[in-house]
């Protein structure tokens, strides 16, 4: 095994400790060629009214918008289906959108979810770190060749919090 170090190669055997290497989790993604892959899910959480609060929020009084961008990669052109996003913070936090991915390649679809009166995430020693699942999926339309395949899905854990610097 060889690990690069500023252009200098360090050689070690497989029984030794690796001095460098991956430090973040990795995952493999697979889907039939007729289905797109969900390569990333990027939630952007902001206050619902667009104004950041000037008083502390509470679990009973807050409102957020979760702009969720779903990144898809298709191997085949002309894939049609439904992109769905749902948040575990509320039973009605579900949004769907019909899409046609006309060309093979990278695509991004943004869905907007609403979150009201969620339990807030607090820093360690200040309170609980409440996190919620954000689930996204792509389901092909019945008339596509991918109709016999399963849907593809992905999920992320997210927390709700605002941090405001007051000078």
């Amino acid at each position: 095994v060889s690990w690069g170090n500023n252009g200098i190669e360090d050689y070690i055997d497989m029984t030794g400790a690796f001095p460098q290497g991956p430090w973040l989790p990795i995952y493999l993604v697979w889907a039939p060629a007729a289905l797109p892959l969900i390569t990333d899910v990027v939630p952007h959480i902001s206050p619902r009214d667009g104004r950041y609060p000037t008083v502390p929020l509470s679990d009973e009084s807050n409102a957020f918008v979760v702009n969720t961008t779903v990144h898809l990669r298709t191997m085949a052109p002309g894939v049609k289906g439904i992109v769905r996003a749902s948040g575990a913070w509320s039973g009605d936090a579900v949004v769907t959108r019909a899409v046609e991915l006309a060309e093979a390649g990278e695509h991004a679809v943004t869905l907007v979810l609403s979150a009201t009166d969620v339990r807030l995430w607090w820093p360690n020693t200040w309170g609980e770190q409440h996190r919620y699942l954000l689930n996204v999926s792509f389901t092909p339309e019945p008339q596509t060749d991918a109709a016999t395949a399963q849907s593809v899905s992905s999920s992320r854990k997210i927390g709700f919090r605002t941090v405001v610097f007051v000078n």
Side-chain angles (χ1 to χ4, degrees):
V1 175
S2 172
W3 297 93
N5 185 5
N6 295 326
I8 301 168
E9 295 290 323
D10 294 324
Y11 293 93
I12 60 173
D13 63 19
M14 290 301 291
T15 60
F18 294 123
Q20 298 172 276
W23 63 92
L24 297 174
I26 62 170
Y27 57 93
L28 299 175
V29 179
W30 178 88
L35 276 178
L37 299 172
I38 297 175
T39 57
D40 205 1
V41 178
V42 182
H44 180 252
I45 302 168
S46 58
R48 180 179 295 163
D49 62 5
R51 294 178 293 143
Y52 285 89
T54 57
V55 296
L57 296 176
S58 70
D59 287 347
E60 298 81 31
S61 176
N62 59 62
F64 296 94
V65 171
V66 183
N67 289 300
T68 304
T69 302
V70 181
H71 294 269
L72 302 161
R73 178 179 297 142
T74 59
M75 304 307 276
V79 177
K80 294 180 183 179
I82 303 294
V83 177
R84 179 181 192 270
S86 63
W89 54 87
S90 171
D92 61 352
V94 177
V95 177
T96 60
R97 183 170 160 197
V99 296
E100 179 176 1
L101 309 174
E103 298 179 10
E106 303 288 330
H107 304 274
V109 178
T110 300
L111 302 169
V112 180
L113 293 117
S114 181
T116 304
D117 300 334
V118 293
R119 296 178 72 188
L120 300 175
W121 178 93
W122 290 93
N124 193 22
T125 72
W126 286 47
E128 295 183 55
Q129 290 81 43
H130 298 287
R131 297 189 330 167
Y132 298 90
L133 272 179
L134 172 63
N135 300 301
V136 299
S137 64
F138 177 88
T139 304
E141 281 189 357
Q143 66 262 31
T144 67
D145 291 338
T148 58
Q150 296 179 348
S151 298
V152 291
S153 63
S154 186
S155 62
R156 300 288 183 273
K157 284 188 177 181
I158 63 172
F160 295 90
R161 184 85 228 146
T162 57
V163 177
V164 179
F165 177 73
V166 181
N167 191 1

